[in-house]
Amino acid sequence: MNVAVLGSGGREHALVKAIKKSPKVSKVFCIPGSDGIAIDVECKAIDLKDQAKLIKNLQQMDIEFVVIGPEDPLVDGLADTLRDHNFKVFGPGSDGARLEGSKIYSKEFMKAAGIPTAAFKMATNKNEAMSVIGDFKFPIVVKADVLAAGKGVFICRDKNEFTNAIEQIFDHEVFGASQALIEEFISGWELSYICITDGENFQVCPLVQDHKALKNGGLGPNTGGMGVIGPVTLNIKLQEEINRTIVQPSLNELKKRNIKFCGALFIGLMIQDNKPYVLEYNVRFGDPETQIIMPLIEGDVFEILWSAVTGKLKSIQTKNMYAACVVMAAEGYPEKPVKGSVIDISDRTVSESSYFIYSGVKKNQDQWTVNGGRVLGAVGIASTKEEAIKIAYAQSAKAQWHGLQKRTDIGSFFN
Ligand code: AMP
Ligand code: GLY
């Protein structure tokens, strides 16, 4: 069978690498893909918004199964259109994708389903936002109600920071949002709880921990993720509680709303005093989580994804290994990534346990250049956590460019 993965980032690179290993798959394409992904599979530079052209090409390439990587095309309803054209699709329709597309919808959804989450208020203008300040204790979390890839979120320690966040959203319209969510701050540790579901049943992917802040020790602005380590082992009681009080009620609520959700449901959790709270839903795999989830899944990843669209969801087992991914970002990331810097790769050796995932790169003749905020993911895989981190950092040392940013503490808070 021919498979197409849609998207162009590190997550999609990790997906194509895993899917192409399956003996059941004849050929994998990535659309639009990137120069980096093209090392592994054929890429076709088609704009995902040009649905007519996309469908024509998928038909010509004899694609049977489409895996949609990023959130934007899911929110735009691309999965619905592809299903209407008889493709099997991994990824929810636009109704399910609202869980990520609107933070306010997702909070209301959680409230309706009785799912533990931070207390919140919403505001549609600056005055309204400023008037709810007394309802919360600092720090207060402010979120622009848009798809801002983790970037429209402010943790405000005092009134000045709060006012600045509100002004960015409503006065300067930095995120193009017409609403803001104002939320109680929950302290604790974060966990990316990513499930695969066929709409009825679910399976939990290897659990991994992302590092969202730009700088060591959780400092600096929030990003899409600066590195990831896993698998995290949870005590059985906590895992059972997450499944019982969060995952199952989420699926029940989807069904109640007549939403058939087939794909990855990524629940961003904060664990406070051993209790899980939902920070957000994403309706796709995480980036950079996928970079290590894929190599940590035992067996054939394609068969698992395929089973979610054809019924009879297969169980997911985690390998008895550790993996780490160190994200290497461009100068100016996350606010204003500088593109075009030449990437100097001193050592091109790669192996099954030490390699780069290509996120935002471009190739001009023989020269690789920076072409996105997150540029490379250096992956290390080993039988111990320490060794996996060491390999990932050794891999990351093989590439350099002007203004390169990476954290040096990925995995160090993890036990
Ligand atoms: P979100 O895009 O909603 O996941 O928010 C991005 C990041 O902000 C999360 O990964 C957390 O690190 C942080 N965050 C969001 N909401 C809260 C909250 N209510 N309490 C504490 N931290 C939060
Ligand atoms: N790494 C977080 C995300 O994919 O949203």
Side-chain angles (χ1 to χ4, degrees), residues 16-36:
V16 301
K17 267 180 171 298
I19 293 170
K20 79 176 222 184
K21 287 196 175 134
S22 172
K24 304 238 162 82
V25 173
S26 323
K27 193 155 181 200
V28 183
F29 294 88
C30 193
I31 304 173
S34 71
D35 292 339

PDB file of all heavy atoms in Angstrom, residues 16-36:
ATOM      1  N   VAL A  16       7.432   9.484   8.831  1.00  0.00           N
ATOM      2  CA  VAL A  16       7.764   8.758   7.586  1.00  0.00           C
ATOM      3  C   VAL A  16       8.854   7.717   7.839  1.00  0.00           C
ATOM      4  O   VAL A  16       8.820   6.616   7.287  1.00  0.00           O
ATOM      5  CB  VAL A  16       8.166   9.676   6.401  1.00  0.00           C
ATOM      6  CG1 VAL A  16       7.057  10.639   6.047  1.00  0.00           C
ATOM      7  CG2 VAL A  16       9.466  10.425   6.635  1.00  0.00           C
ATOM      8  N   LYS A  17       9.795   8.068   8.704  1.00  0.00           N
ATOM      9  CA  LYS A  17      10.869   7.103   9.009  1.00  0.00           C
ATOM     10  C   LYS A  17      10.280   5.813   9.606  1.00  0.00           C
ATOM     11  O   LYS A  17      10.714   4.711   9.282  1.00  0.00           O
ATOM     12  CB  LYS A  17      11.823   7.702  10.058  1.00  0.00           C
ATOM     13  CG  LYS A  17      13.032   8.427   9.490  1.00  0.00           C
ATOM     14  CD  LYS A  17      13.853   8.954  10.677  1.00  0.00           C
ATOM     15  CE  LYS A  17      15.179   9.509  10.286  1.00  0.00           C
ATOM     16  NZ  LYS A  17      16.103   8.573   9.666  1.00  0.00           N
ATOM     17  N   ALA A  18       9.289   5.982  10.498  1.00  0.00           N
ATOM     18  CA  ALA A  18       8.698   4.806  11.155  1.00  0.00           C
ATOM     19  C   ALA A  18       7.820   4.023  10.178  1.00  0.00           C
ATOM     20  O   ALA A  18       7.893   2.790  10.101  1.00  0.00           O
ATOM     21  CB  ALA A  18       7.889   5.242  12.371  1.00  0.00           C
ATOM     22  N   ILE A  19       6.990   4.742   9.401  1.00  0.00           N
ATOM     23  CA  ILE A  19       6.029   4.066   8.523  1.00  0.00           C
ATOM     24  C   ILE A  19       6.749   3.296   7.416  1.00  0.00           C
ATOM     25  O   ILE A  19       6.347   2.198   7.035  1.00  0.00           O
ATOM     26  CB  ILE A  19       5.023   5.098   7.938  1.00  0.00           C
ATOM     27  CG1 ILE A  19       4.148   5.659   9.061  1.00  0.00           C
ATOM     28  CG2 ILE A  19       4.167   4.473   6.838  1.00  0.00           C
ATOM     29  CD1 ILE A  19       3.288   6.843   8.666  1.00  0.00           C
ATOM     30  N   LYS A  20       7.843   3.868   6.924  1.00  0.00           N
ATOM     31  CA  LYS A  20       8.486   3.194   5.782  1.00  0.00           C
ATOM     32  C   LYS A  20       9.170   1.878   6.179  1.00  0.00           C
ATOM     33  O   LYS A  20       9.538   1.088   5.323  1.00  0.00           O
ATOM     34  CB  LYS A  20       9.430   4.147   5.047  1.00  0.00           C
ATOM     35  CG  LYS A  20      10.764   4.387   5.658  1.00  0.00           C
ATOM     36  CD  LYS A  20      11.584   5.281   4.739  1.00  0.00           C
ATOM     37  CE  LYS A  20      12.996   4.758   4.675  1.00  0.00           C
ATOM     38  NZ  LYS A  20      13.904   5.556   3.909  1.00  0.00           N
ATOM     39  N   LYS A  21       9.294   1.651   7.484  1.00  0.00           N
ATOM     40  CA  LYS A  21       9.888   0.385   7.938  1.00  0.00           C
ATOM     41  C   LYS A  21       8.925  -0.795   7.780  1.00  0.00           C
ATOM     42  O   LYS A  21       9.331  -1.953   7.842  1.00  0.00           O
ATOM     43  CB  LYS A  21      10.251   0.476   9.434  1.00  0.00           C
ATOM     44  CG  LYS A  21      11.470   1.341   9.692  1.00  0.00           C
ATOM     45  CD  LYS A  21      12.022   1.103  11.092  1.00  0.00           C
ATOM     46  CE  LYS A  21      13.304   1.881  11.254  1.00  0.00           C
ATOM     47  NZ  LYS A  21      13.353   2.610  12.522  1.00  0.00           N
ATOM     48  N   SER A  22       7.642  -0.489   7.608  1.00  0.00           N
ATOM     49  CA  SER A  22       6.661  -1.580   7.587  1.00  0.00           C
ATOM     50  C   SER A  22       6.750  -2.391   6.291  1.00  0.00           C
ATOM     51  O   SER A  22       6.721  -1.817   5.194  1.00  0.00           O
ATOM     52  CB  SER A  22       5.253  -1.003   7.711  1.00  0.00           C
ATOM     53  OG  SER A  22       4.313  -2.042   7.498  1.00  0.00           O
ATOM     54  N   PRO A  23       6.781  -3.717   6.405  1.00  0.00           N
ATOM     55  CA  PRO A  23       6.754  -4.532   5.187  1.00  0.00           C
ATOM     56  C   PRO A  23       5.431  -4.424   4.432  1.00  0.00           C
ATOM     57  O   PRO A  23       5.339  -4.765   3.254  1.00  0.00           O
ATOM     58  CB  PRO A  23       6.959  -5.959   5.708  1.00  0.00           C
ATOM     59  CG  PRO A  23       6.747  -5.914   7.183  1.00  0.00           C
ATOM     60  CD  PRO A  23       6.907  -4.490   7.636  1.00  0.00           C
ATOM     61  N   LYS A  24       4.386  -3.915   5.107  1.00  0.00           N
ATOM     62  CA  LYS A  24       3.077  -3.778   4.452  1.00  0.00           C
ATOM     63  C   LYS A  24       3.009  -2.544   3.565  1.00  0.00           C
ATOM     64  O   LYS A  24       2.051  -2.347   2.817  1.00  0.00           O
ATOM     65  CB  LYS A  24       1.988  -3.665   5.516  1.00  0.00           C
ATOM     66  CG  LYS A  24       1.960  -4.824   6.503  1.00  0.00           C
ATOM     67  CD  LYS A  24       0.597  -5.492   6.477  1.00  0.00           C
ATOM     68  CE  LYS A  24       0.608  -6.872   7.087  1.00  0.00           C
ATOM     69  NZ  LYS A  24       0.521  -6.874   8.521  1.00  0.00           N
ATOM     70  N   VAL A  25       3.991  -1.661   3.676  1.00  0.00           N
ATOM     71  CA  VAL A  25       3.953  -0.391   2.946  1.00  0.00           C
ATOM     72  C   VAL A  25       4.878  -0.462   1.743  1.00  0.00           C
ATOM     73  O   VAL A  25       6.053  -0.802   1.863  1.00  0.00           O
ATOM     74  CB  VAL A  25       4.375   0.767   3.885  1.00  0.00           C
ATOM     75  CG1 VAL A  25       4.516   2.064   3.113  1.00  0.00           C
ATOM     76  CG2 VAL A  25       3.373   0.924   5.015  1.00  0.00           C
ATOM     77  N   SER A  26       4.332  -0.147   0.547  1.00  0.00           N
ATOM     78  CA  SER A  26       5.175  -0.169  -0.655  1.00  0.00           C
ATOM     79  C   SER A  26       5.968   1.117  -0.753  1.00  0.00           C
ATOM     80  O   SER A  26       7.171   1.114  -0.935  1.00  0.00           O
ATOM     81  CB  SER A  26       4.341  -0.309  -1.922  1.00  0.00           C
ATOM     82  OG  SER A  26       3.259  -1.156  -1.704  1.00  0.00           O
ATOM     83  N   LYS A  27       5.249   2.254  -0.640  1.00  0.00           N
ATOM     84  CA  LYS A  27       5.949   3.524  -0.811  1.00  0.00           C
ATOM     85  C   LYS A  27       5.329   4.587   0.101  1.00  0.00           C
ATOM     86  O   LYS A  27       4.107   4.644   0.254  1.00  0.00           O
ATOM     87  CB  LYS A  27       5.852   3.951  -2.283  1.00  0.00           C
ATOM     88  CG  LYS A  27       6.797   5.063  -2.604  1.00  0.00           C
ATOM     89  CD  LYS A  27       7.194   5.137  -4.057  1.00  0.00           C
ATOM     90  CE  LYS A  27       8.174   6.320  -4.186  1.00  0.00           C
ATOM     91  NZ  LYS A  27       8.325   6.833  -5.487  1.00  0.00           N
ATOM     92  N   VAL A  28       6.195   5.415   0.675  1.00  0.00           N
ATOM     93  CA  VAL A  28       5.716   6.520   1.507  1.00  0.00           C
ATOM     94  C   VAL A  28       6.079   7.827   0.820  1.00  0.00           C
ATOM     95  O   VAL A  28       7.211   7.998   0.356  1.00  0.00           O
ATOM     96  CB  VAL A  28       6.384   6.503   2.902  1.00  0.00           C
ATOM     97  CG1 VAL A  28       5.818   7.614   3.788  1.00  0.00           C
ATOM     98  CG2 VAL A  28       6.205   5.157   3.588  1.00  0.00           C
ATOM     99  N   PHE A  29       5.107   8.735   0.748  1.00  0.00           N
ATOM    100  CA  PHE A  29       5.361  10.080   0.229  1.00  0.00           C
ATOM    101  C   PHE A  29       5.159  11.070   1.369  1.00  0.00           C
ATOM    102  O   PHE A  29       4.389  10.800   2.300  1.00  0.00           O
ATOM    103  CB  PHE A  29       4.351  10.436  -0.872  1.00  0.00           C
ATOM    104  CG  PHE A  29       4.474   9.591  -2.105  1.00  0.00           C
ATOM    105  CD1 PHE A  29       3.785   8.378  -2.195  1.00  0.00           C
ATOM    106  CD2 PHE A  29       5.254  10.008  -3.172  1.00  0.00           C
ATOM    107  CE1 PHE A  29       3.885   7.601  -3.343  1.00  0.00           C
ATOM    108  CE2 PHE A  29       5.354   9.234  -4.324  1.00  0.00           C
ATOM    109  CZ  PHE A  29       4.676   8.029  -4.406  1.00  0.00           C
ATOM    110  N   CYS A  30       5.817  12.203   1.278  1.00  0.00           N
ATOM    111  CA  CYS A  30       5.539  13.275   2.231  1.00  0.00           C
ATOM    112  C   CYS A  30       5.166  14.526   1.444  1.00  0.00           C
ATOM    113  O   CYS A  30       5.842  14.898   0.492  1.00  0.00           O
ATOM    114  CB  CYS A  30       6.753  13.526   3.114  1.00  0.00           C
ATOM    115  SG  CYS A  30       6.347  14.561   4.541  1.00  0.00           S
ATOM    116  N   ILE A  31       4.035  15.136   1.838  1.00  0.00           N
ATOM    117  CA  ILE A  31       3.519  16.304   1.122  1.00  0.00           C
ATOM    118  C   ILE A  31       3.282  17.451   2.110  1.00  0.00           C
ATOM    119  O   ILE A  31       2.543  17.224   3.065  1.00  0.00           O
ATOM    120  CB  ILE A  31       2.180  15.973   0.413  1.00  0.00           C
ATOM    121  CG1 ILE A  31       2.385  14.771  -0.528  1.00  0.00           C
ATOM    122  CG2 ILE A  31       1.653  17.176  -0.344  1.00  0.00           C
ATOM    123  CD1 ILE A  31       1.095  14.265  -1.152  1.00  0.00           C
ATOM    124  N   PRO A  32       3.821  18.645   2.029  1.00  0.00           N
ATOM    125  CA  PRO A  32       4.821  18.978   1.021  1.00  0.00           C
ATOM    126  C   PRO A  32       6.208  18.431   1.346  1.00  0.00           C
ATOM    127  O   PRO A  32       7.057  18.411   0.473  1.00  0.00           O
ATOM    128  CB  PRO A  32       4.829  20.509   1.047  1.00  0.00           C
ATOM    129  CG  PRO A  32       4.410  20.875   2.426  1.00  0.00           C
ATOM    130  CD  PRO A  32       3.466  19.799   2.878  1.00  0.00           C
ATOM    131  N   GLY A  33       6.436  18.006   2.597  1.00  0.00           N
ATOM    132  CA  GLY A  33       7.761  17.516   2.960  1.00  0.00           C
ATOM    133  C   GLY A  33       8.780  18.641   2.983  1.00  0.00           C
ATOM    134  O   GLY A  33       8.412  19.824   3.045  1.00  0.00           O
ATOM    135  N   SER A  34      10.046  18.267   2.948  1.00  0.00           N
ATOM    136  CA  SER A  34      11.118  19.272   2.985  1.00  0.00           C
ATOM    137  C   SER A  34      12.368  18.628   2.411  1.00  0.00           C
ATOM    138  O   SER A  34      12.414  17.412   2.190  1.00  0.00           O
ATOM    139  CB  SER A  34      11.395  19.688   4.429  1.00  0.00           C
ATOM    140  OG  SER A  34      12.029  18.620   5.125  1.00  0.00           O
ATOM    141  N   ASP A  35      13.399  19.456   2.208  1.00  0.00           N
ATOM    142  CA  ASP A  35      14.665  18.902   1.690  1.00  0.00           C
ATOM    143  C   ASP A  35      15.225  17.856   2.653  1.00  0.00           C
ATOM    144  O   ASP A  35      15.877  16.904   2.239  1.00  0.00           O
ATOM    145  CB  ASP A  35      15.692  20.026   1.499  1.00  0.00           C
ATOM    146  CG  ASP A  35      15.290  20.965   0.368  1.00  0.00           C
ATOM    147  OD1 ASP A  35      14.481  20.545  -0.485  1.00  0.00           O
ATOM    148  OD2 ASP A  35      15.772  22.109   0.343  1.00  0.00           O
ATOM    149  N   GLY A  36      14.994  18.058   3.951  1.00  0.00           N
ATOM    150  CA  GLY A  36      15.497  17.099   4.936  1.00  0.00           C
ATOM    151  C   GLY A  36      14.739  15.777   4.883  1.00  0.00           C
ATOM    152  O   GLY A  36      15.325  14.692   4.901  1.00  0.00           O
TER     153      GLY A  36
END
